[in-house]
Amino acid sequence: MAYPTDRKYTKEHEWIQVNGNSGTVGITDYAQQSLGDIVFVETPKVGSELTAGKAFGTVESVKAVSDLYAPASGTVTEVNAELATSPENVNKDAHGSWMLKLSLKNPSELNSLLSAADYEKFVAEEAGH
Amino acid sequence: MSSVEATPAGVTTNIRKTALNAVHRQTGAKMVEFNGWDMPVEYPASLGGGIIAEHMAVRTGVGIFDVSHMGDIRLAGPQALAAVQHISMNDASRLAVRQAQYSALLYPQGTFVDDVIVHRLGTDEYLLVINAGTREKDFSWVRDNTRQFECAVENLSDDFTQIAIQGPKGVNLLQKLTDADLSAVKFYWVTRGTLCGLRDILMGRTGYTAEDGFEIYVPADEATSARVWNEILTAGKEFGVVPCGLGARNTLRLEGKLPLYGHEISDTINVWEAGLDRFCKTEKPEFVGRAALEKSKAAGIRRTLVGLEMTGRGIARDGYKVLDTDDREIGYVTSGSPAPFLKKNIALAYVPPESAAIGSSVKVEIRGQGVGAVVVPTPFYKRPKKTA
């Protein structure tokens, strides 16, 4: 799997794509593959405040419940309502199925996240352990 | 994202492997630790796998499972029947040779050592098929409680690779590989025959999926096990066979309300609470646990196992609290999951009898929020009667 280079990644397997002051957040292909069939995505309401590194929502597969962690701090401006009825879209296209958009509080937080190449290395190690 | 089901770091266990472990790993199955065993939870989508696809294959076609982690105890000798009668709650005297029954081993207080399938293999020969997580405990318990009988007790758990062939097409698939006439084998009966060139193989029309199917017991060496597994997959191509893991096994058994040890039944839950009355024959003169169960029946139970269907948005999971409509805690979920065939979120739960009536509204606490659920009839899924 090639990870898109137009975004940054967390070690908790979220991605964030920055456009000016706005960030779009989803989970990685590696994450959807590890989870298996995704049946439920719970995102916060528009207007909620996210803190970098803190849990902001939940994704559930048939088997497991997992927390979603915010790649950056900010205010939620939009959520992908489609995922409430079609959570399996995340399995089909994890890098295209965004979960929420937020207005970034401190864009410099992004500097500590992984590049596509570094993330790819990170998951290769995690998968190989 | 971080999974709550990850194996705790730094925990080293002597993990056990079935004879098919290398086959599962080669095919790219996702492996998990289950009751001390390294087992496939699901197979890759490229093989038709994934929990939902595997589940649907068993409901509509056929799926195969490596269930070699299950244990096997053989009781044989002139007093084998008396021994089985003493240690199990169902009435083994009703079994004809080659017939099987669902039963359970009980502690004196009427709670569960384990649930088992008792197979009568010969006039004085019985085979108990037991759970993976309770293998050693079960064997010691059976041995210790049958000493007074003229009956040999053998642990055959490591002798067999047990493969389950489950689904409406299971009989068609297996028939291609054996000379035994499977159409003559009724549900919960066993037969023996040549299978994949192996002579005298035990095949039971049993399973843990609430579907028709067979469980076969082949020698546990790796080469034979792999050969049989692959021959089944090849023979099953025309039926769309899919290898299935423990994920689908769990959702299938949940739809059928088949209990799982440590969840619906345990050493602190008794037979009446678990609703397994029809497998418990108190008219039998004696068995371990009977006296306590008679007392318990007279006293009445404080909790009972019910089926829940979520009416609110959310998935009940094992261990979640059940609340009444005023948010008071009244019970807990033993198993909860999305049900892939029924396309609903379902759960089994212990609640007080006064909240157990079909149609009762309750809530399940999910991440601090009470989410609506209703008590529904069980089993959630019942397989259609064969028309042919």
Side-chain angles (χ1 to χ4, degrees):
Chain A
M1 184 73 209
Y3 289 91
T5 52
D6 61 355
R7 58 195 83 184
K8 295 269 206 166
Y9 299 84
T10 70
K11 288 187 175 178
E12 288 79 32
H13 310 290
E14 290 85 14
W15 55 258
I16 181 166
Q17 189 177 24
V18 177
N19 190 350
N21 209 31
S22 165
T24 304
V25 176
I27 65 169
T28 66
D29 187 67
Y30 176 82
Q32 72 76 18
Q33 221 168 49
S34 331
L35 282 166
D37 296 322
I38 291 169
V39 292
F40 189 86
V41 178
E42 195 171 57
T43 43
K45 290 190 175 68
V46 169
S48 307
E49 295 291 325
L50 306 192
T51 308
K54 292 273 195 295
F56 71 81
T58 309
V59 56
E60 298 195 37
S61 65
V62 175
K63 192 98 192 111
V65 183
S66 301
D67 285 331
L68 296 163
Y69 292 95
S73 307
T75 310
V76 178
T77 55
E78 203 180 337
V79 297
N80 186 354
E82 216 177 87
L83 296 184
T85 48
S86 302
E88 68 278 7
N89 287 356
V90 180
N91 290 119
K92 289 180 193 148
D93 179 14
H95 298 149
S97 299
W98 60 279
M99 290 177 175
L100 58 76
K101 296 185 182 186
L102 73 170
S103 66
L104 300 171
K105 195 172 170 185
N106 181 5
S108 70
E109 280 175 349
L110 278 294
N111 296 338
S112 59
L113 299 181
L114 302 173
S115 69
D118 288 343
Y119 178 71
E120 211 170 323
K121 246 184 265 168
F122 173 73
V123 295
E125 280 165 28
E126 193 167 291
H129 75 85
Chain B
M1 191 208 80
S2 95
S3 175
V4 295
E5 291 215 341
T7 311
V11 174
T12 51
T13 47
N14 210 351
I15 196 150
R16 297 167 81 172
K17 293 175 176 162
T18 74
L20 289 166
N21 190 272
V23 174
H24 303 318
R25 289 196 168 270
Q26 273 158 22
T27 57
K30 200 179 291 172
M31 306 296 285
V32 290
E33 195 254 304
F34 175 76
N35 282 332
W37 290 79
D38 184 46
M39 296 298 289
V41 64
E42 63 179 343
Y43 291 82
S46 55
L47 295 175
I51 295 178
I52 294 175
E54 292 167 24
H55 184 113
M56 295 305 284
V58 171
R59 287 276 178 262
T60 60
V62 56
I64 66 166
F65 303 76
D66 175 16
V67 290
S68 308
H69 58 315
M70 305 285 289
D72 314 275
I73 301 173
R74 181 174 176 265
L75 294 97
Q79 289 191 302
L81 173 61
V84 172
Q85 288 290 64
H86 175 65
I87 59 167
S88 66
M89 72 179 191
N90 207 332
D91 186 357
S93 74
R94 296 184 186 188
L95 290 175
V97 171
R98 298 200 165 181
Q99 197 178 5
Q101 69 184 187
Y102 179 79
S103 189
L105 315 177
L106 304 177
Y107 289 110
Q109 59 269 34
T111 61
F112 293 87
V113 178
D114 197 6
D115 63 345
V116 297
I117 296 180
V118 177
H119 302 76
R120 187 177 180 199
L121 298 183
T123 310
D124 296 311
E125 184 191 357
Y126 294 83
L127 183 74
L128 311 185
V129 176
I130 58 173
N131 281 300
T134 49
R135 266 189 180 195
E136 281 68 31
K137 177 186 88 167
D138 287 8
F139 180 68
S140 313
W141 188 88
V142 169
R143 195 191 46 208
D144 294 347
N145 283 278
T146 54
R147 288 193 198 282
Q148 64 272 42
F149 299 99
E150 204 179 318
C151 159
V153 179
E154 274 178 284
N155 189 351
L156 302 184
S157 300
D158 294 328
D159 293 11
F160 298 119
T161 282
Q162 187 181 337
I163 300 173
I165 299 108
Q166 301 283 301
K169 296 285 181 210
V171 62
N172 309 85
L173 195 178
L174 195 61
Q175 191 64 75
K176 288 178 71 182
L177 301 171
T178 180
D179 62 350
D181 178 11
L182 300 180
S183 67
V185 183
K186 286 180 282 190
F187 198 55
Y188 267 73
W189 286 71
V190 304
T191 190
R192 283 183 182 279
T194 300
L195 176 91
C196 299
L198 302 163
R199 294 175 66 181
D200 200 31
I201 297 299
L202 181 67
M203 294 171 262
R205 199 159 194 163
T206 52
Y208 191 51
T209 57
E211 212 57 68
D212 187 21
F214 286 82
E215 292 177 292
I216 61 169
Y217 302 77
V218 299
D221 71 275
E222 281 185 34
T224 305
S225 303
R227 181 171 69 79
V228 171
W229 177 263
N230 289 324
E231 284 186 30
I232 295 171
L233 284 177
T234 304
K237 277 213 173 89
E238 63 175 293
F239 308 112
V241 67
V242 173
C244 302
L246 293 182
R249 188 168 157 84
N250 187 54
T251 52
L252 287 158
R253 70 94 195 163
L254 178 58
E255 283 186 346
K257 202 202 184 186
L258 302 172
L260 174 62
Y261 195 84
H263 293 248
E264 287 72 39
I265 57 174
S266 76
D267 57 3
T268 61
I269 295 164
N270 82 23
V271 175
W272 312 138
E273 293 171 327
L276 294 172
D277 311 30
R278 71 184 185 284
F279 302 103
C280 183
K281 300 298 188 301
T282 43
E283 60 272 27
K284 260 189 355 181
E286 184 273 344
F287 58 91
V288 180
R290 181 175 177 273
L293 286 175
E294 299 231 293
K295 258 186 219 163
S296 162
K297 181 148 250 177
I301 50 173
R302 286 178 296 111
R303 58 182 175 179
T304 186
L305 190 67
V306 294
L308 300 180
E309 188 180 312
M310 300 305 296
T311 51
R313 193 175 127 78
I315 302 166
R317 300 285 183 177
D318 309 10
Y320 284 9
K321 288 174 187 165
V322 178
L323 315 173
D324 66 13
T325 46
D326 297 322
D327 290 327
R328 279 182 300 246
E329 184 176 345
I330 55 166
Y332 69 99
V333 171
T334 54
S335 299
S337 170
F341 183 79
L342 302 172
K343 298 189 169 49
K344 292 167 179 171
N345 295 324
I346 60 171
L348 292 169
Y350 277 106
V351 299
E354 58 271 23
S355 304
I358 306 294
S360 301
S361 288
V362 296
K363 290 180 184 177
V364 175
E365 191 182 290
I366 303 176
R367 296 180 282 279
Q369 295 286 322
V371 180
V374 62
V375 177
V376 295
T378 53
F380 304 99
Y381 170 83
K382 218 171 181 173
R383 73 180 145 110
K385 291 256 187 297
K386 273 220 168 143
T387 46

